[in-house]
Amino acid sequence: MIQKNPVWVDVTWGAGGSTADSTFTICEDIVKKFGADVMMHLTCTNMEVSIINEVLEKCKKAGIRNILALRGDPPAGQEWKKIEGGFANAVDLVKYIRKLYGDYFCIGVAGYPEGHVDCNGDLVLDMEHLKAKVDAGADLIVTQLFYSTDLFVDYVKRCRAAGVKVPIFPGIMPIQSYAGFKRMTELCKTYVPPSLLDALEPIKDDADKVKAFGVELSKTMCEAIRAQCGPQAMGADGVFGLHFYTLNSDVAVMQILQRLGMIDAEDEEKEAEQLSPADVSAPPVTVFTAIA
């Protein structure tokens, strides 16, 4: 996918820094071996400030200039806690990075079209938290996965009405298996339109049909986002890019890009021939690509 010139490639950060070394190594390889921009996720849950300092300095030396600043989740079986002298949330992390490095890093933060689960459905409170992250110095927003474009379009409009003017990139997660889809939506408490569930029910045991359905659904969602809140619809306040959660498998995303007319069919076939099995021990890699 790097041959398709994505604006950046994301690499996730395991809970509590559990994949810190492999995350950084992958990011460094992407920059040095492929010459692509990378956005490294960085969480502050259960993380000592000294570790954050070390990671940021390593990123600077390696030429990694994009950070997705997150509070993050605690490691499995542990509770969230603020390390003494550490960070309570992503706002603290954004402020800290800006204080130490000024404008050196481009800082992204997470957005939640349905509201963060900790806000218990209070969309006003969730927007206050988002605006605090932007006011602290965030440059852009990448959203949590969603399967209702209406919710996303409404989210963009609410952001703009609240004075949040930085770029917003919708998080598109193609359905690649029924079990994976159920697991992720339940974990993230994602709203799933009843019509989507109805469409999946008769094909849920057919892996190929589920994947094909996921590609078509994502393509339709991207088209709706372009039409309803792309630059032609909302001008400078519109959405200028798409963020795909590949989860270490680029086949579905390549097919979506081809159906959107962003790459041609021959490119898709060549990429498919060159695919190698994903390293299941590596952190999930996500790819961002600009809207054509």
Side-chain angles (χ1 to χ4, degrees):
M1 288 199 73
I2 288 177
Q3 295 177 1
K4 303 298 170 274
N5 299 315
V7 176
W8 72 73
V9 177
D10 274 41
V11 184
T12 60
W13 181 270
S18 58
T19 66
D21 291 338
S22 56
T23 291
F24 176 78
T25 298
I26 292 171
C27 289
E28 187 177 35
D29 284 348
I30 291 171
V31 171
K32 292 185 176 181
K33 294 182 180 180
F34 300 101
D37 277 334
V38 67
M39 178 171 283
M40 191 186 80
H41 291 207
L42 181 61
T43 68
C44 57
T45 295
N46 297 37
M47 297 287 289
E48 296 180 3
V49 176
S50 60
I51 296 177
I52 298 293
N53 289 339
E54 180 182 347
V55 170
L56 290 172
E57 194 58 30
K58 285 171 64 178
C59 285
K60 185 175 182 181
K61 290 179 180 178
I64 298 168
R65 302 196 62 175
N66 306 302
I67 300 291
L68 190 66
L70 306 163
R71 188 194 74 175
D73 300 314
Q78 298 184 28
E79 295 183 357
W80 182 90
K81 64 180 179 180
K82 176 183 175 182
I83 297 293
E84 185 175 353
F87 310 100
N89 48 47
V91 176
D92 289 347
L93 182 56
V94 173
K95 288 180 178 178
Y96 188 76
I97 295 172
R98 283 284 176 247
K99 179 181 177 181
L100 262 61
Y101 292 94
D103 293 333
Y104 179 81
F105 289 107
C106 169
I107 303 176
V109 293
Y112 301 89
E114 301 171 42
H116 193 283
V117 292
D118 288 355
C119 291
N120 297 313
D122 189 336
L123 298 182
V124 174
L125 178 61
D126 180 76
M127 189 59 64
E128 290 174 354
H129 290 170
L130 178 67
K131 192 170 189 309
K133 290 188 283 190
V134 173
D135 290 345
D139 296 299
L140 58 91
I141 298 162
V142 178
T143 78
Q144 176 74 287
L145 75 154
F146 59 90
Y147 289 102
S148 167
T149 52
D150 289 342
L151 284 175
F152 174 75
V153 172
D154 177 68
Y155 178 72
V156 173
K157 293 178 179 179
R158 288 190 293 109
C159 284
R160 300 320 188 203
V164 176
K165 299 297 185 180
V166 299
I168 302 172
F169 301 105
I172 307 296
M173 182 176 287
I175 300 173
Q176 302 193 51
S177 74
Y178 183 76
F181 164 73
K182 293 291 289 184
R183 182 172 60 253
M184 288 301 297
T185 52
E186 290 172 4
L187 176 67
C188 299
K189 295 180 171 56
T190 305
Y191 169 72
V192 180
S195 58
L196 196 164
L197 291 175
D198 290 343
L200 274 174
E201 182 61 29
I203 63 170
K204 65 182 181 181
D205 295 322
D206 189 318
D208 290 338
K209 288 184 178 180
V210 170
K211 289 178 182 178
F213 175 86
V215 168
E216 187 61 27
L217 173 66
S218 294
K219 174 241 184 186
T220 301
M221 290 174 62
C222 292
E223 289 177 333
I225 290 168
R226 278 173 154 176
Q228 297 180 56
C229 55
Q232 290 187 338
M234 295 183 64
D237 283 341
V239 171
F240 288 80
L242 303 170
H243 188 278
F244 292 99
Y245 293 103
T246 68
L247 303 180
N248 288 351
S249 177
D250 62 353
V251 176
V253 174
M254 293 295 293
Q255 292 174 348
I256 295 163
L257 295 178
Q258 187 269 322
R259 284 157 177 73
L260 289 171
M262 298 175 71
I263 62 173
D264 60 39
E266 289 185 1
D267 285 342
E268 181 190 341
E269 291 171 2
K270 289 177 183 177
E271 284 289 324
E273 291 174 358
Q274 297 171 5
L275 288 176
S276 59
D279 178 358
V280 295
S281 67
V285 176
T286 65
V287 175
F288 166 87
T289 183
I291 289 180

